[in-house]
């Protein structure tokens, strides 16, 4: 017996009950509408016949309607024209893409794109060009060092270029961010660095007040820029530059150079006393030479950062190279973070981040991601984004770490005693020491227990000459062209080998092919009798040609040992 569907009929009691509920609901809605005062919009009664100038008013109303209709039509036409333009542009782009694919220009386009990237303003080549301009046009060069790792911020190529250039050029070292390092460590580094070059202790203002900042402070009284806008060591540096300018009897130009995120632009802002250069946490904010007038006798030249040589260690590249953490590859960032953690004491890192003990850097990143809630789908820790955040913390001013100066180290070969004496000539070193001690005494420092001990990788090699960057850029094109040539040669060799094998096989397979052709023709005539009877001569010729091509293709893939084996290709019907 088939199962019947349940009937939709209701009992009268239930149906009347539903109808009653609906009536009550409608009544309730009407009452609420009355209370709100929402009434139906009344129809426009129009102009009464007794009104004066009735005809004129009606004409004006008609004219308004016509104008509105004309405007709507114009807007429609404009929209249609814009849509047509967009369609044409899209069609042109599509045709261009199809042409490029057909002509095989994708490989050449990639190589051109890579070369063109180097020619942009934010490219490494332009950075080198602008840096060369600053070095050539400056009388005094200030090399800015991060007090947390001063040796890692020194570039031997840059120092050699300045010391060996001649023309009475001077090089000063600026030990910046001294407030992030313990006091004893700052004094040790000052004593170590002053043996080679005159060194100035400096604490730059990370955030200078300007018009926009004043507006913010007026609106929000809680914002306090006291700590960020304080700077120390500017008076000492200005005195040194002014004294050197008096000895030269001319207006001097001072170039500020260094690796990214050491505080070049913030030093210029603190010397000027207001925001003159753009400052940011991202690396490579300054992309071209900027001239800032301090006074009549001194000009300061802000330069883009020195580009780290890719031959450096992973640690040096992580801290000193221009990396865009948002767009950079996660593998390079992970390697950099691993190198940083391996060069620090594990206990201090655990204390700083408040994490349990970890075996390797990956476990450190996963535990930190879990603590901060950086998780992917399924509760998996997001290690890649966590590595980017950790790298930003280490390159910025959030983490307080310090490195010890080397106990005994020979000066580099370009720094002879004569060169050191030349660099120190014209500066009052006793006054400089006194001013440095005053700045060191005035600041608050973190305790060694709260900061992390860091093993410095040593001096970081940099690329200053533009020609080297051009060679690197042109290498991409050379590599691609060489790869293409190699691939073509390999294909030609493979084809020659295949054809040589096929020639040998064809000599042995001639007798078998003749037998196969005859059998194949007979099988095909049986399979398609109607078509074969109409033109038997043509069909035989066609089948023979097809069979030859099939036997050739089969013989190309077939090895020489299997000549007498059964041919499955002939028995396809």
């Amino acid at each position: 017996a088939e199962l019947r569907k349940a009937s939709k009929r209701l009992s009268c009691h239930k149906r009347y009950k539903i109808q009653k509920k609906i009536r009550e609901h409608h009544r309730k809605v009407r009452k609420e509408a009355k209370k709100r005062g929402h009434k139906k919009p009344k129809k426009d009664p129009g102009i009464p016949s007794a009104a004066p100038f009735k005809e004129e008013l009606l004409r004006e109303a008609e004219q308004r309607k016509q104008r509105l209709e004309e405007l709507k039509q114009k807007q429609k036409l404009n929209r249609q024209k814009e849509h047509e333009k967009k369609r044409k542009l899209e069609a042109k782009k599509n045709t261009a893409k199809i042409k490029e694919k057909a002509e095989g220009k994708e490989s050449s386009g990639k190589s051109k794109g890579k070369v063109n990237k180097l020619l942009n303003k934010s490219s490494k080549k332009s950075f080198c060009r602008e840096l060369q301009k600053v070095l050539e046009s400056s009388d005094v060069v200030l090399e800015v060092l991060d007090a947390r790792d001063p040796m890692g911020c020194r570039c031997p190529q840059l120092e050699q270029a300045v010391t060996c250039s001649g023309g009475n050029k001077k090089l000063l070292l600026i030990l910046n961010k001294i407030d992030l390092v313990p006091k004893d460590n700052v004094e040790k580094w000052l004593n170590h660095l002053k043996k080679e070059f005159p060194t100035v202790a400096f604490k730059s203002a990370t955030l200078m007040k300007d018009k926009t900042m004043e507006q913010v402070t007026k609106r929000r009284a809680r914002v306090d820029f006291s700590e960020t806008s304080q700077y120390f060591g500017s008076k000492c540096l200005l005195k040194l530059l002014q004294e050197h300018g008096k000895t030269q009897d001319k207006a001097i130009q001072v170039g500020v150079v260094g690796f990214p995120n050491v505080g070049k632009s913030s030093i210029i802002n603190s010397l000027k006393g207001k925001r003159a250069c753009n400052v940011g946490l991202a690396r490579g904010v300054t992309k071209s030479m900027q001239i800032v007038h301090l006074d009549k006798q001194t000009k300061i030249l802000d330069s883009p950062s020195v580009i780290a040589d890719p031959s450096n260690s992973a640690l040096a590249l992580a801290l000193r190279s221009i990396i865009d953490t948002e767009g950079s590859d996660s593998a390079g960032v992970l390697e950099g973070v691993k190198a940083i953690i391996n060069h620090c004491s594990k206990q201090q890192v655990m204390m700083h981040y408040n994490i349990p003990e970890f075996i390797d850097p990956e476990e450190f990143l996963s535990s930190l991601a879990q603590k901060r809630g950086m998780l992917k789908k399924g509760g998996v820790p997001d290690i890649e984004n966590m590595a980017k955040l950790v790298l930003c913390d280490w390159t910025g001013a959030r983490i307080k770490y310090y490195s010890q100066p080397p106990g005994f180290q020979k000066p580099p070969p370009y720094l002879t005693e004569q060169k050191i004496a030349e660099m120190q000539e014209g500066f009052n070193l006793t006054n400089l020491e006194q001013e440095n001690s005053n700045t060191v005494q005035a600041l608050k420092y973190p305790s060694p227990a709260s900061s992390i001990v860091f093993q410095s990788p040593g001096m970081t090699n940099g690329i200053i000459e533009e020609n080297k960057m051009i060679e690197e850029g042109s290498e991409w094109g050379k590599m691609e062209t060489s790869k293409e040539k190699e691939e073509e040669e390999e294909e030609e060799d493979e084809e020659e080998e295949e054809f040589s094998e096929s020639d040998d096989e064809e000599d042995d397979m001639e007798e078998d092919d003749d037998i196969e052709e005859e059998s194949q023709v007979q099988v095909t005539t049986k399979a398609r009798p109607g078509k074969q009877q109409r033109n038997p001569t043509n069909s035989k010729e066609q089948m023979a040609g097809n069979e030859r091509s099939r036997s050739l293709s089969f013989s190309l893939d077939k090895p020489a040992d299997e000549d007498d084996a059964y041919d499955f290709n002939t028995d396809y019907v």
Side-chain angles (χ1 to χ4, degrees), residues 521 525 531-545:
V521 171
T525 50
K531 287 182 183 177
Q532 296 295 334
Q533 283 171 7
R534 286 174 192 172
N535 47 1
T537 56
N538 293 334
S539 64
K540 283 179 183 178
E541 287 173 3
Q542 286 173 2
M543 289 306 298

Side-chain angles (χ1 to χ4, degrees), residues 69-343:
E69 284 176 2
E70 285 173 2
L71 280 169
K72 284 178 183 177
Q73 285 177 357
K74 282 180 182 178
Q75 285 172 356
K76 273 187 181 180
L77 289 168
N78 289 328
R79 282 174 204 156
Q80 286 174 0
K81 284 177 183 177
E82 284 176 2
H83 283 303
E84 283 175 5
K85 282 180 183 177
K86 283 179 183 177
R87 282 170 192 165
K88 284 178 183 177
L89 286 168
E90 284 174 2
K92 282 179 182 178
K93 284 178 183 176
N94 291 328
T95 50
K97 282 179 184 177
I98 291 159
K99 281 180 183 178
E100 280 180 3
K101 284 179 182 177
E103 291 171 6
K105 287 184 178 178
E106 285 183 353
S107 60
S108 62
K110 284 178 185 176
S111 61
K112 283 177 185 176
K114 284 173 183 174
V115 174
N116 289 332
K117 276 181 187 177
L118 296 168
L119 301 171
N120 294 334
K121 275 192 175 181
S122 59
S123 67
K124 293 179 180 178
K125 182 187 164 187
S126 69
F127 275 36
C128 287
R129 198 189 306 133
E130 295 295 320
L131 186 64
Q132 281 288 338
K133 281 182 191 176
V134 172
L135 291 174
E136 285 171 6
S137 57
S138 57
D139 301 313
V140 180
V141 179
L142 307 179
E143 189 180 9
V144 184
L145 312 177
D146 192 337
R148 297 174 290 182
D149 182 21
M151 196 57 73
C153 295
R154 287 182 69 178
C155 178
Q157 287 80 12
L158 190 142
E159 290 178 4
Q160 189 175 2
V162 175
T163 51
C164 301
S165 62
N168 200 17
K169 272 192 185 178
K170 303 290 180 185
L171 182 69
L172 293 174
L173 300 179
I174 310 291
L175 196 67
N176 194 19
K177 302 183 185 180
I178 56 170
D179 59 321
L180 303 175
V181 178
K183 189 178 178 182
D184 298 336
N185 193 254
V186 174
E187 289 170 352
K188 283 177 186 177
W189 273 112
L190 286 170
N191 291 327
H192 175 77
L193 294 169
K194 74 179 182 183
K195 294 173 185 174
E196 296 177 7
F197 295 105
T199 310
V200 181
F202 208 94
K203 191 266 173 186
S204 59
T206 54
L207 201 142
M208 296 297 294
K209 290 183 183 180
D210 58 355
K211 289 179 182 178
T212 55
M213 291 296 165
E214 283 171 11
Q215 287 174 3
V216 170
T217 49
K218 281 174 188 174
R219 287 176 189 172
R220 298 177 185 176
R222 291 183 184 179
V223 178
D224 185 21
F225 298 105
S226 59
E227 290 183 6
T228 52
S229 60
Q230 281 181 352
Y231 51 91
F232 297 90
S234 59
K235 289 180 181 177
C236 172
L237 186 56
L238 284 168
K239 275 183 186 177
L240 273 178
L241 296 173
Q242 284 168 1
E243 284 172 6
H244 183 70
K246 285 175 184 176
T247 55
Q248 295 292 315
D249 292 331
K250 64 170 185 177
I252 59 165
Q253 291 186 340
V254 182
V256 184
V257 295
F259 283 104
N261 266 25
V262 290
K264 300 182 291 295
S265 300
S266 56
I267 282 170
I268 293 168
N269 288 342
S270 52
L271 286 171
K272 183 73 176 171
K274 63 179 182 180
R275 192 173 181 179
C277 301
N278 287 328
V279 181
L281 292 170
R283 305 189 196 185
V285 174
T286 308
K287 292 174 183 176
S288 60
M289 186 176 76
Q290 292 179 329
I291 301 167
V292 179
H293 294 265
L294 278 182
D295 51 34
K296 292 179 181 179
Q297 295 297 319
T298 51
K299 286 181 189 176
I300 291 189
L301 310 177
D302 192 10
S303 68
S305 54
V306 179
I307 292 152
D309 198 338
S311 63
N312 287 310
S313 62
L315 177 63
L317 288 171
L319 292 172
R320 305 285 162 244
S321 63
I322 300 166
I323 298 172
D324 183 16
T325 51
E326 291 179 2
S328 63
D329 58 333
S330 56
V333 176
L334 277 167
E335 282 180 10
V337 171
K338 285 175 186 176
I340 287 165
I341 290 159
N342 288 329
H343 281 73

